[in-house]
Amino acid sequence: MTTLQTNTILAESGVAFGTSGARGLVEQFTPDVCAAFAIAFLETVKAEFQFGAMAIAIDNRPSSYAMAQACAAALKQKGVDTIYFGVVPTPALAYAAMERDIPSIMVTGSHIPFDRNGLKFYRPDGEITKADEQSILGLSASFESLGELSDLTTHGEAAQEYVDRYLSLFDTPFLKGKHIGIYEHSSAGRDLYQPMFEKLGAQVTPLERSDEFVPIDTEAVSEEDQKKARDWSVQYGFDAIFSTDGDGDRPLISDEKGNWLRGDILGLLCARQLGAEALAIPVSCNSSVESSGAFKHVERTRIGSPYVIAEFEKLSQKFSSVAGFEANGGFLLGSDTEINGQALKALPTRDAVLPAIMLLSATAGGKTVSELVDECTVRFSASDRIKNFATEKSKQIIHSYTGNEAALLAQLGLEGVTVDSVDITDGLRMNLTGGDVVHLRPSGNAPELRCYAEAASPERAKALVEQVLGRVPGVQV
């Protein structure tokens, strides 16, 4: 065997941390690279916590199981046992590990294509911080190159505990009379959602389970998936359709007409239903959150769950109930709360089930999902991205036009408007005369350039995104 150093292996791997977790091409996640990440993470959390085991789970990507095997083999070298929970949603793994006061690793690339994958890391108290990420990359620990990888024994407790977390909040089947569609595709939680919603009283129809991995991006829903939802709603008469991204931490839920909700509007409705006092949300979220008047304080952050979570401690010093969410829909519960007199522990990582359940509970009074959305939406958002657009190229565009926004407006063909103000919290966000907003930033997870827009109508927001992405410098029209 060959003795290796974690920092050397990781520096040469080409794998980098994005907005949430380490991401890269499947071929970059060799057994030794996975081992280096697992051991560097182990040594990082050992500096603060005592534990005797680590939990691991995976999504349904073809490459995920072998990556989990490599992580487990590396931990075994260091005398740490692995509890392998199999294919479960990321928040299910995080919750089970936090309940056991142990760290965990989720093997997932979330929504990115199946030729890529990633690793998400959780301390015993929740997601790692950006400081932890730097520690993992820089830490120097030795390990032996991995040989043959052993099979893993699956433990089913995490899936059941995650479902029970939500079923325990309701003593009546409050969804009785509701018809819910579950767009299963290749979601890590697809085996959990139908029985869970049925126990809550709903009639459930499963839709399009796939044996091939489907990269659902809840922040840039494809035209195909938009049409599917509308067609399904006409065919089945659904009250809502529920789905998630690949690892089940970002929800995708439609109204009764098959219109997919924007994640930040879903988050607003969930937080309002929970009675949250203060929110931490990324700068890309819809300004309807503040306009709703439902919250005592709203703090804006950079995009990515670690930045949202970093604000929770500060907010908790001033407010009794704290939450956060992202424009992609992931909801983070920053403090313990009560629902129907039942305790719900904080889960400071993105979750798809809580916002769906709280939205549907809000319809118990007789209002439809679309009516709830209309009540709180005063501004409209749209977003999309250019795939296979080099990150460095995106950064260069933003750097070149920051401070020279008028030239960018001319390049984008946005005539008759000027820039009222600029926000460079994350990328380049331009507030234009007349109220429109255009926001460009490189994706933190894949080589993509993302555009977010906000306007007085959904049609205007969508048109802005299409125009901007069609005329970004370096894009062939």
Side-chain angles (χ1 to χ4, degrees):
M1 289 188 178
T2 305
T3 300
L4 305 171
Q5 295 295 126
T6 56
N7 57 340
T8 302
I9 293 295
L10 296 182
E12 296 173 351
S13 69
V15 177
F17 278 100
T19 52
S20 179
R23 302 287 173 83
L25 293 166
V26 167
E27 59 257 32
Q28 293 173 319
F29 280 105
T30 65
D32 286 342
V33 168
C34 294
F37 268 115
I39 290 170
F41 172 54
L42 169 66
E43 296 301 326
T44 295
V45 291
K46 274 173 59 178
E48 292 188 56
F49 301 93
Q50 291 185 336
F51 50 89
M54 191 178 294
I56 297 179
I58 66 173
D59 66 11
N60 275 310
R61 292 168 189 269
S63 56
S64 292
Y65 181 68
M67 289 173 61
Q69 287 177 293
C71 290
L75 295 172
K76 187 176 181 180
Q77 276 191 25
K78 300 299 180 180
V80 177
D81 293 331
T82 296
I83 304 174
Y84 176 63
F85 287 123
V87 178
V88 296
T90 294
L93 167 69
Y95 179 66
M98 290 173 66
E99 287 291 284
R100 291 161 174 77
D101 291 321
I102 61 175
S104 58
I105 300 173
M106 180 70 185
V107 184
T108 180
S110 187
H111 65 281
I112 58 179
F114 76 94
D115 63 337
R116 297 174 179 272
N117 212 328
L119 297 168
K120 292 182 180 180
F121 302 95
Y122 293 84
R123 300 149 41 112
D125 60 352
E127 280 192 37
I128 61 170
T129 64
K130 289 296 177 181
D132 291 329
E133 291 179 359
Q134 295 308 306
S135 174
I136 290 169
L137 293 176
L139 191 142
S140 179
S142 61
F143 68 100
E144 300 299 322
S145 182
L146 301 184
E148 186 175 350
L149 301 176
S150 301
D151 289 336
L152 302 175
T153 301
T154 303
H155 296 258
E157 298 92 335
Q160 189 59 53
E161 290 168 12
Y162 180 59
V163 171
D164 288 345
R165 168 179 167 83
Y166 296 113
L167 293 181
S168 66
L169 302 176
F170 303 95
D171 55 10
T172 59
F174 75 96
L175 290 178
K176 188 174 182 179
K178 302 288 186 182
H179 189 185
I180 308 297
I182 306 292
Y183 179 18
E184 295 183 334
H185 60 90
S186 53
S187 169
R190 63 187 183 181
D191 292 330
L192 309 183
Y193 303 136
Q194 179 173 350
M196 182 185 69
F197 281 109
E198 286 178 339
K199 287 182 179 178
L200 292 172
Q203 174 190 351
V204 176
T205 297
L207 305 161
E208 276 202 22
R209 175 174 289 233
S210 174
D211 291 331
E212 296 182 2
F213 187 80
V214 180
I216 298 288
D217 187 345
T218 61
E219 201 169 17
V221 184
S222 69
E223 291 288 343
E224 180 184 5
D225 282 328
Q226 292 181 47
K227 184 177 186 301
K228 283 179 182 177
R230 292 192 295 267
D231 290 346
W232 285 331
S233 291
V234 171
Q235 180 180 356
Y236 295 102
F238 290 134
D239 293 285
I241 303 170
F242 174 72
S243 189
T244 75
D245 63 342
D247 67 321
D249 70 344
R250 290 162 43 170
L252 187 61
I253 189 165
S254 84
D255 63 15
E256 71 282 358
K257 303 170 187 176
N259 298 311
W260 296 117
L261 273 62
R262 297 283 308 175
D264 40 16
I265 299 300
L266 172 61
L268 191 170
L269 289 166
C270 175
R272 188 176 70 178
Q273 189 73 359
L274 285 170
E277 291 184 327
L279 297 178
I281 58 175
V283 65
S284 57
C285 283
N286 189 298
S287 59
S288 294
V289 177
E290 286 91 347
S291 300
S292 71
F295 313 103
K296 292 181 179 179
H297 181 78
V298 178
E299 187 71 27
R300 295 275 179 160
T301 74
R302 291 186 64 185
I303 295 172
S305 52
Y307 299 110
V308 173
I309 293 168
E311 292 297 326
F312 284 167
E313 184 175 356
K314 301 175 189 175
L315 293 176
S316 295
Q317 294 173 6
K318 297 180 181 180
F319 303 97
S320 60
S321 56
V322 175
F325 52 85
E326 299 180 278
N328 59 34
F331 195 91
L332 304 94
L333 187 59
S335 59
D336 295 347
T337 189
E338 277 194 5
I339 298 176
N340 299 324
Q342 300 297 315
L344 182 65
K345 290 185 179 180
L347 184 56
T349 191
R350 290 187 299 207
D351 185 19
V353 169
L354 180 60
I357 287 180
M358 297 313 298
L359 171 68
L360 292 171
S361 71
T363 67
K367 291 182 179 179
T368 63
V369 172
S370 63
E371 288 172 337
L372 291 170
V373 170
D374 289 344
E375 283 179 359
C376 72
T377 307
V378 296
R379 299 281 292 168
F380 297 88
S381 300
S383 61
D384 205 344
R385 81 281 200 204
I386 303 173
K387 298 179 182 179
N388 300 315
F389 199 90
T391 301
E392 287 306 316
K393 187 176 180 180
S394 297
K395 290 180 178 178
Q396 182 59 43
I397 290 170
I398 291 167
H399 176 75
S400 298
Y401 287 102
T402 299
N404 191 22
E405 290 82 15
L408 180 57
L409 293 185
Q411 168 68 36
L412 300 176
L414 296 174
E415 301 174 350
V417 295
T418 58
V419 176
D420 272 349
S421 62
V422 170
D423 189 330
I424 57 171
T425 300
D426 197 338
L428 177 59
R429 186 176 178 89
M430 300 178 292
N431 298 294
L432 309 180
T433 52
D436 290 346
V437 176
V438 172
H439 181 186
L440 288 170
R441 67 177 282 273
S443 170
N445 297 321
E448 299 172 348
L449 176 64
R450 288 190 176 267
C451 176
Y452 311 84
E454 186 178 304
S457 72
E459 295 80 14
R460 173 60 180 165
K462 182 180 179 182
L464 272 172
V465 170
E466 292 175 351
Q467 179 175 342
V468 169
L469 291 181
R471 299 191 59 161
V472 164
V475 176
Q476 297 297 321
V477 180

